[in-house]
CSV table of all heavy atoms in Angstrom, one decimal:
chain,number,residue,atom,x,y,z
A,1,MET,N,14.1,14.1,-40.5
A,1,MET,CA,14.8,15.1,-41.4
A,1,MET,C,14.4,14.8,-42.8
A,1,MET,O,14.9,15.5,-43.7
A,1,MET,CB,16.3,15.0,-41.2
A,1,MET,CG,16.7,15.3,-39.8
A,1,MET,SD,16.3,17.0,-39.3
A,1,MET,CE,17.6,17.9,-40.1
A,2,ASN,N,13.6,13.8,-43.1
A,2,ASN,CA,13.2,13.4,-44.5
A,2,ASN,C,12.2,14.4,-45.1
A,2,ASN,O,12.4,14.8,-46.2
A,2,ASN,CB,12.7,12.0,-44.5
A,2,ASN,CG,12.3,11.6,-45.9
A,2,ASN,OD1,13.1,11.3,-46.7
A,2,ASN,ND2,11.0,11.5,-46.1
A,3,CYS,N,11.3,14.8,-44.3
A,3,CYS,CA,10.2,15.7,-44.8
A,3,CYS,C,10.4,17.1,-44.5
A,3,CYS,O,11.0,17.5,-43.4
A,3,CYS,CB,8.8,15.3,-44.2
A,3,CYS,SG,8.4,13.5,-44.4
A,4,THR,N,10.0,18.0,-45.4
A,4,THR,CA,10.0,19.4,-45.1
A,4,THR,C,8.9,19.6,-44.1
A,4,THR,O,7.8,19.0,-44.3
A,4,THR,CB,9.8,20.3,-46.3
A,4,THR,OG1,8.6,19.9,-47.0
A,4,THR,CG2,11.0,20.2,-47.2
A,5,PRO,N,9.1,20.4,-43.0
A,5,PRO,CA,8.1,20.5,-42.0
A,5,PRO,C,6.7,20.9,-42.5
A,5,PRO,O,5.7,20.4,-42.0
A,5,PRO,CB,8.7,21.6,-41.1
A,5,PRO,CG,10.1,21.4,-41.3
A,5,PRO,CD,10.3,21.1,-42.7
A,6,SER,N,6.6,21.8,-43.5
A,6,SER,CA,5.3,22.2,-44.0
A,6,SER,C,4.5,21.1,-44.7
A,6,SER,O,3.3,21.2,-44.8
A,6,SER,CB,5.4,23.4,-44.9
A,6,SER,OG,6.2,23.0,-46.1
A,7,GLU,N,5.2,20.0,-45.1
A,7,GLU,CA,4.6,18.9,-45.8
A,7,GLU,C,4.6,17.6,-45.0
A,7,GLU,O,4.1,16.6,-45.5
A,7,GLU,CB,5.3,18.7,-47.1
A,7,GLU,CG,5.2,19.9,-48.0
A,7,GLU,CD,6.0,19.7,-49.3
A,7,GLU,OE1,6.7,18.7,-49.5
A,7,GLU,OE2,6.0,20.7,-50.1
A,8,ALA,N,5.1,17.6,-43.8
A,8,ALA,CA,5.2,16.4,-43.0
A,8,ALA,C,3.8,15.8,-42.6
A,8,ALA,O,3.1,16.5,-42.0
A,8,ALA,CB,6.1,16.6,-41.8
A,9,PRO,N,3.5,14.6,-43.0
A,9,PRO,CA,2.2,14.0,-42.7
A,9,PRO,C,2.0,13.9,-41.2
A,9,PRO,O,0.8,14.1,-40.8
A,9,PRO,CB,2.3,12.6,-43.4
A,9,PRO,CG,3.4,12.7,-44.4
A,9,PRO,CD,4.3,13.7,-43.9
A,10,CYS,N,3.0,13.6,-40.5
A,10,CYS,CA,2.8,13.5,-39.0
A,10,CYS,C,2.3,14.7,-38.3
A,10,CYS,O,1.5,14.7,-37.4
A,10,CYS,CB,4.1,13.0,-38.4
A,10,CYS,SG,5.5,14.1,-38.6
A,11,LEU,N,2.8,15.9,-38.8
A,11,LEU,CA,2.4,17.2,-38.2
A,11,LEU,C,1.0,17.4,-38.4
A,11,LEU,O,0.3,17.9,-37.6
A,11,LEU,CB,3.2,18.3,-38.9
A,11,LEU,CG,4.5,18.7,-38.2
A,11,LEU,CD1,5.3,19.7,-39.1
A,11,LEU,CD2,4.2,19.4,-36.9
A,12,LYS,N,0.5,17.0,-39.6
A,12,LYS,CA,-1.0,17.3,-39.9
A,12,LYS,C,-1.8,16.2,-39.2
A,12,LYS,O,-3.0,16.5,-38.9
A,12,LYS,CB,-1.2,17.2,-41.4
A,12,LYS,CG,-0.4,18.2,-42.2
A,12,LYS,CD,-0.5,18.0,-43.7
A,12,LYS,CE,0.3,19.0,-44.5
A,12,LYS,NZ,0.4,18.7,-45.9
A,13,GLU,N,-1.3,15.1,-38.9
A,13,GLU,CA,-2.1,14.0,-38.4
A,13,GLU,C,-2.3,14.1,-36.9
A,13,GLU,O,-3.3,13.7,-36.3
A,13,GLU,CB,-1.4,12.6,-38.7
A,13,GLU,CG,-2.2,11.4,-38.4
A,13,GLU,CD,-3.4,11.3,-39.4
A,13,GLU,OE1,-3.4,11.9,-40.5
A,13,GLU,OE2,-4.4,10.5,-39.1
A,14,CYS,N,-1.3,14.6,-36.2
A,14,CYS,CA,-1.3,14.5,-34.7
A,14,CYS,C,-2.5,15.3,-34.2
A,14,CYS,O,-2.6,16.5,-34.4
A,14,CYS,CB,0.0,15.1,-34.1
A,14,CYS,SG,0.0,15.1,-32.3
A,15,PRO,N,-3.4,14.7,-33.4
A,15,PRO,CA,-4.5,15.3,-32.8
A,15,PRO,C,-4.2,16.2,-31.6
A,15,PRO,O,-5.1,17.0,-31.2
A,15,PRO,CB,-5.4,14.2,-32.4
A,15,PRO,CG,-4.5,13.1,-32.1
A,15,PRO,CD,-3.3,13.2,-33.1
A,16,ASN,N,-3.0,16.1,-31.1
A,16,ASN,CA,-2.7,16.8,-29.9
A,16,ASN,C,-1.6,17.9,-30.1
A,16,ASN,O,-1.1,18.5,-29.2
A,16,ASN,CB,-2.1,15.8,-28.9
A,16,ASN,CG,-3.1,14.8,-28.5
A,16,ASN,OD1,-4.3,15.2,-28.3
A,16,ASN,ND2,-2.7,13.6,-28.4
A,17,ASP,N,-1.3,18.2,-31.4
A,17,ASP,CA,-0.3,19.2,-31.7
A,17,ASP,C,1.0,18.9,-31.0
A,17,ASP,O,1.7,19.8,-30.5
A,17,ASP,CB,-0.8,20.6,-31.4
A,17,ASP,CG,-1.9,21.1,-32.3
A,17,ASP,OD1,-1.9,20.6,-33.5
A,17,ASP,OD2,-2.8,21.8,-31.9
A,18,ALA,N,1.3,17.7,-30.8
A,18,ALA,CA,2.5,17.3,-30.1
A,18,ALA,C,3.8,17.3,-30.9
A,18,ALA,O,4.9,17.2,-30.4
A,18,ALA,CB,2.3,15.9,-29.5
A,19,ILE,N,3.6,17.3,-32.3
A,19,ILE,CA,4.8,17.3,-33.1
A,19,ILE,C,5.1,18.7,-33.5
A,19,ILE,O,4.3,19.5,-34.0
A,19,ILE,CB,4.5,16.4,-34.4
A,19,ILE,CG1,4.1,15.0,-33.9
A,19,ILE,CG2,5.7,16.4,-35.3
A,19,ILE,CD1,3.8,14.1,-35.1
A,20,GLU,N,6.3,19.1,-33.2
A,20,GLU,CA,6.8,20.5,-33.3
A,20,GLU,C,8.0,20.6,-34.2
A,20,GLU,O,8.8,19.6,-34.3
A,20,GLU,CB,7.1,21.1,-31.9
A,20,GLU,CG,5.8,21.0,-31.0
A,20,GLU,CD,6.1,21.3,-29.6
A,20,GLU,OE1,7.3,21.4,-29.2
A,20,GLU,OE2,5.2,21.5,-28.8
A,21,VAL,N,8.3,21.7,-34.7
A,21,VAL,CA,9.5,22.0,-35.5
A,21,VAL,C,10.4,22.8,-34.7
A,21,VAL,O,10.1,23.9,-34.2
A,21,VAL,CB,9.1,22.7,-36.8
A,21,VAL,CG1,10.4,23.0,-37.6
A,21,VAL,CG2,8.1,21.9,-37.6
A,22,LEU,N,11.6,22.3,-34.4
A,22,LEU,CA,12.6,23.0,-33.6
A,22,LEU,C,13.9,23.0,-34.4
A,22,LEU,O,14.5,22.0,-34.7
A,22,LEU,CB,12.8,22.3,-32.3
A,22,LEU,CG,11.7,22.3,-31.2
A,22,LEU,CD1,12.1,21.5,-30.0
A,22,LEU,CD2,11.4,23.7,-30.8
A,23,GLY,N,14.3,24.2,-34.8
A,23,GLY,CA,15.5,24.4,-35.5
A,23,GLY,C,15.5,23.7,-36.8
A,23,GLY,O,16.6,23.2,-37.2
A,24,GLY,N,14.3,23.5,-37.4
A,24,GLY,CA,14.3,22.8,-38.7
A,24,GLY,C,14.1,21.3,-38.6
A,24,GLY,O,13.8,20.7,-39.6
A,25,ALA,N,14.1,20.8,-37.4
A,25,ALA,CA,13.9,19.4,-37.2
A,25,ALA,C,12.6,19.1,-36.6
A,25,ALA,O,12.1,19.9,-35.8
A,25,ALA,CB,15.0,18.8,-36.3
A,26,ILE,N,11.9,18.0,-37.0
A,26,ILE,CA,10.6,17.7,-36.4
A,26,ILE,C,10.8,16.9,-35.2
A,26,ILE,O,11.5,15.9,-35.1
A,26,ILE,CB,9.8,16.9,-37.5
A,26,ILE,CG1,9.6,17.8,-38.7
A,26,ILE,CG2,8.5,16.4,-36.9
A,26,ILE,CD1,9.0,17.0,-39.9
A,27,THR,N,10.2,17.3,-34.1
A,27,THR,CA,10.4,16.6,-32.8
A,27,THR,C,9.0,16.4,-32.2
A,27,THR,O,8.0,17.0,-32.5
A,27,THR,CB,11.2,17.4,-31.8
A,27,THR,OG1,10.5,18.6,-31.5
A,27,THR,CG2,12.6,17.8,-32.4
A,28,ILE,N,9.0,15.4,-31.3
A,28,ILE,CA,7.7,15.1,-30.5
A,28,ILE,C,7.8,15.7,-29.1
A,28,ILE,O,8.8,15.3,-28.4
A,28,ILE,CB,7.4,13.6,-30.5
A,28,ILE,CG1,7.2,13.1,-31.9
A,28,ILE,CG2,6.2,13.3,-29.6
A,28,ILE,CD1,7.0,11.6,-32.0
A,29,ASN,N,6.8,16.5,-28.8
A,29,ASN,CA,6.7,17.0,-27.4
A,29,ASN,C,6.1,15.9,-26.5
A,29,ASN,O,4.9,15.7,-26.6
A,29,ASN,CB,5.9,18.3,-27.4
A,29,ASN,CG,5.8,18.9,-26.0
A,29,ASN,OD1,5.9,18.2,-25.0
A,29,ASN,ND2,5.7,20.2,-26.0
A,30,GLU,N,6.9,15.3,-25.7
A,30,GLU,CA,6.4,14.1,-24.9
A,30,GLU,C,5.3,14.5,-23.9
A,30,GLU,O,4.5,13.7,-23.5
A,30,GLU,CB,7.6,13.4,-24.3
A,30,GLU,CG,8.5,12.8,-25.3
A,30,GLU,CD,9.6,12.0,-24.6
A,30,GLU,OE1,9.5,11.7,-23.4
A,30,GLU,OE2,10.6,11.6,-25.4
A,31,GLU,N,5.3,15.8,-23.5
A,31,GLU,CA,4.3,16.2,-22.6
A,31,GLU,C,2.9,16.3,-23.2
A,31,GLU,O,1.9,16.1,-22.6
A,31,GLU,CB,4.7,17.6,-22.0
A,31,GLU,CG,5.9,17.5,-21.1
A,31,GLU,CD,6.2,18.8,-20.4
A,31,GLU,OE1,5.5,19.8,-20.7
A,31,GLU,OE2,7.2,18.9,-19.7
A,32,LYS,N,2.9,16.5,-24.5
A,32,LYS,CA,1.6,16.6,-25.2
A,32,LYS,C,1.2,15.2,-25.8
A,32,LYS,O,0.0,15.0,-26.1
A,32,LYS,CB,1.7,17.6,-26.4
A,32,LYS,CG,1.8,19.1,-25.9
A,32,LYS,CD,1.8,20.0,-27.1
A,32,LYS,CE,2.0,21.4,-26.7
A,32,LYS,NZ,2.1,22.3,-28.0
A,33,CYS,N,2.1,14.4,-26.1
A,33,CYS,CA,1.9,13.1,-26.8
A,33,CYS,C,1.1,12.1,-25.9
A,33,CYS,O,1.5,11.9,-24.8
A,33,CYS,CB,3.2,12.5,-27.2
A,33,CYS,SG,3.0,10.9,-28.0
A,34,ASP,N,0.0,11.6,-26.5
A,34,ASP,CA,-0.7,10.5,-25.7
A,34,ASP,C,-0.5,9.1,-26.3
A,34,ASP,O,-1.2,8.2,-26.0
A,34,ASP,CB,-2.2,10.9,-25.7
A,34,ASP,CG,-2.9,10.8,-27.1
A,34,ASP,OD1,-2.2,10.4,-28.0
A,34,ASP,OD2,-4.1,11.1,-27.1
A,35,LYS,N,0.5,9.0,-27.2
A,35,LYS,CA,0.9,7.7,-27.7
A,35,LYS,C,-0.1,7.0,-28.5
A,35,LYS,O,-0.2,5.8,-28.5
A,35,LYS,CB,1.4,6.8,-26.6
A,35,LYS,CG,2.6,7.4,-25.9
A,35,LYS,CD,3.1,6.5,-24.7
A,35,LYS,CE,4.4,7.1,-24.1
A,35,LYS,NZ,4.2,8.4,-23.5
A,36,CYS,N,-0.9,7.8,-29.3
A,36,CYS,CA,-2.0,7.2,-30.1
A,36,CYS,C,-1.4,6.5,-31.3
A,36,CYS,O,-2.1,5.7,-32.0
A,36,CYS,CB,-3.0,8.3,-30.5
A,36,CYS,SG,-2.3,9.5,-31.7
A,37,LYS,N,-0.2,6.9,-31.7
A,37,LYS,CA,0.5,6.3,-32.8
A,37,LYS,C,-0.1,6.6,-34.2
A,37,LYS,O,0.3,5.9,-35.2
A,37,LYS,CB,0.6,4.7,-32.7
A,37,LYS,CG,1.4,4.3,-31.4
A,37,LYS,CD,1.6,2.9,-31.4
A,37,LYS,CE,2.5,2.5,-30.2
A,37,LYS,NZ,2.7,1.0,-30.0
A,38,GLN,N,-0.9,7.6,-34.3
A,38,GLN,CA,-1.4,8.0,-35.6
A,38,GLN,C,-0.2,8.5,-36.5
A,38,GLN,O,-0.3,8.3,-37.7
A,38,GLN,CB,-2.5,9.1,-35.5
A,38,GLN,CG,-3.7,8.6,-34.9
A,38,GLN,CD,-4.8,9.7,-34.8
A,38,GLN,OE1,-5.0,10.4,-35.7
A,38,GLN,NE2,-5.5,9.7,-33.7
A,39,CYS,N,0.7,9.2,-35.9
A,39,CYS,CA,1.9,9.7,-36.7
A,39,CYS,C,2.7,8.5,-37.2
A,39,CYS,O,3.3,8.6,-38.3
A,39,CYS,CB,2.7,10.6,-35.8
A,39,CYS,SG,3.3,9.8,-34.3
A,40,VAL,N,2.8,7.4,-36.4
A,40,VAL,CA,3.6,6.3,-36.9
A,40,VAL,C,2.9,5.7,-38.2
A,40,VAL,O,3.6,5.4,-39.1
A,40,VAL,CB,3.6,5.2,-35.8
A,40,VAL,CG1,4.2,3.9,-36.3
A,40,VAL,CG2,4.3,5.7,-34.5
A,41,ASP,N,1.6,5.7,-38.2
A,41,ASP,CA,0.9,5.1,-39.4
A,41,ASP,C,1.1,5.9,-40.6
A,41,ASP,O,1.1,5.4,-41.7
A,41,ASP,CB,-0.6,5.0,-39.1
A,41,ASP,CG,-0.9,4.0,-38.0
A,41,ASP,OD1,0.0,3.1,-37.7
A,41,ASP,OD2,-1.9,4.1,-37.3
A,42,VAL,N,1.3,7.2,-40.5
A,42,VAL,CA,1.4,8.1,-41.7
A,42,VAL,C,2.8,8.4,-42.1
A,42,VAL,O,3.0,8.9,-43.2
A,42,VAL,CB,0.6,9.4,-41.6
A,42,VAL,CG1,-0.9,9.1,-41.4
A,42,VAL,CG2,1.1,10.3,-40.5
A,43,CYS,N,3.8,8.1,-41.3
A,43,CYS,CA,5.2,8.4,-41.7
A,43,CYS,C,5.6,7.6,-42.9
A,43,CYS,O,5.6,6.4,-42.8
A,43,CYS,CB,6.1,8.1,-40.5
A,43,CYS,SG,7.9,8.5,-40.9
A,44,PRO,N,6.1,8.3,-43.9
A,44,PRO,CA,6.4,7.5,-45.2
A,44,PRO,C,7.7,6.7,-45.1
A,44,PRO,O,8.0,5.9,-45.9
A,44,PRO,CB,6.6,8.7,-46.2
A,44,PRO,CG,6.9,9.9,-45.4
A,44,PRO,CD,6.2,9.7,-44.1
A,45,ILE,N,8.5,7.0,-44.1
A,45,ILE,CA,9.8,6.3,-44.0
A,45,ILE,C,10.0,5.5,-42.7
A,45,ILE,O,11.0,5.0,-42.4
A,45,ILE,CB,11.0,7.2,-44.2
A,45,ILE,CG1,11.1,8.3,-43.1
A,45,ILE,CG2,11.0,7.9,-45.6
A,45,ILE,CD1,12.4,9.1,-43.0
A,46,GLY,N,8.9,5.4,-41.9
A,46,GLY,CA,9.0,4.6,-40.7
A,46,GLY,C,10.0,5.2,-39.7
A,46,GLY,O,10.6,4.4,-38.9
A,47,ALA,N,10.0,6.5,-39.6
A,47,ALA,CA,11.0,7.1,-38.8
A,47,ALA,C,10.6,7.3,-37.3
A,47,ALA,O,11.4,7.6,-36.4
A,47,ALA,CB,11.4,8.5,-39.3
A,48,ILE,N,9.3,7.1,-37.1
A,48,ILE,CA,8.7,7.4,-35.7
A,48,ILE,C,8.5,6.1,-35.0
A,48,ILE,O,7.9,5.2,-35.4
A,48,ILE,CB,7.4,8.2,-35.8
A,48,ILE,CG1,7.7,9.5,-36.6
A,48,ILE,CG2,6.9,8.5,-34.4
A,48,ILE,CD1,6.4,10.3,-36.8
A,49,HIS,N,9.1,6.1,-33.8
A,49,HIS,CA,8.9,4.9,-32.9
A,49,HIS,C,8.4,5.4,-31.6
A,49,HIS,O,9.0,6.3,-31.0
A,49,HIS,CB,10.2,4.2,-32.7
A,49,HIS,CG,10.9,3.8,-34.0
A,49,HIS,ND1,10.5,2.6,-34.6
A,49,HIS,CD2,11.8,4.4,-34.8
A,49,HIS,CE1,11.2,2.5,-35.8
A,49,HIS,NE2,12.0,3.6,-35.9
A,50,ILE,N,7.2,4.9,-31.1
A,50,ILE,CA,6.6,5.4,-29.9
A,50,ILE,C,6.9,4.3,-28.8
A,50,ILE,O,6.6,3.2,-29.0
A,50,ILE,CB,5.1,5.5,-30.0
A,50,ILE,CG1,4.8,6.5,-31.1
A,50,ILE,CG2,4.5,6.0,-28.7
A,50,ILE,CD1,5.2,8.0,-30.9
B,101,SF4,S1,1.6,9.3,-31.0
B,101,SF4,FE1,1.9,11.3,-30.0
B,101,SF4,S2,2.9,12.6,-31.5
B,101,SF4,FE2,2.1,10.8,-32.6
B,101,SF4,S3,0.1,11.5,-33.4
B,101,SF4,FE3,-0.3,10.5,-31.4
B,101,SF4,S4,-0.2,12.2,-29.9
B,101,SF4,FE4,0.7,13.0,-31.8
């Protein structure tokens, strides 16, 4: 909830389009996620745990 969706680094970084915006919140679609952890590396507040 820290980043506005249009500016969230994780959304831009994910190679699988697994990070989605649902109701204004950023969520990870586990069916698309391959656990590469690229989003973890770019999250400015360490909010993503794989
Ligand atoms: S760990 Fe999953 S959600 Fe994160 S960048 Fe990789 S595929 Fe996308």
Side-chain angles (χ1 to χ4, degrees):
M1 298 298 284
N2 179 72
C3 302
T4 53
S6 61
E7 298 173 0
C10 58
L11 267 172
K12 298 173 184 169
E13 190 72 18
C14 180
N16 298 317
D17 291 328
I19 302 180
E20 303 170 347
V21 180
L22 290 178
I26 296 170
T27 63
I28 296 177
N29 183 328
E30 294 185 12
E31 292 183 359
K32 293 182 180 177
C33 176
D34 67 2
K35 299 178 175 59
C36 68
K37 297 187 178 178
Q38 291 183 41
C39 56
V40 175
D41 293 338
V42 298
C43 180
I45 62 167
I48 304 175
H49 303 274
I50 301 295

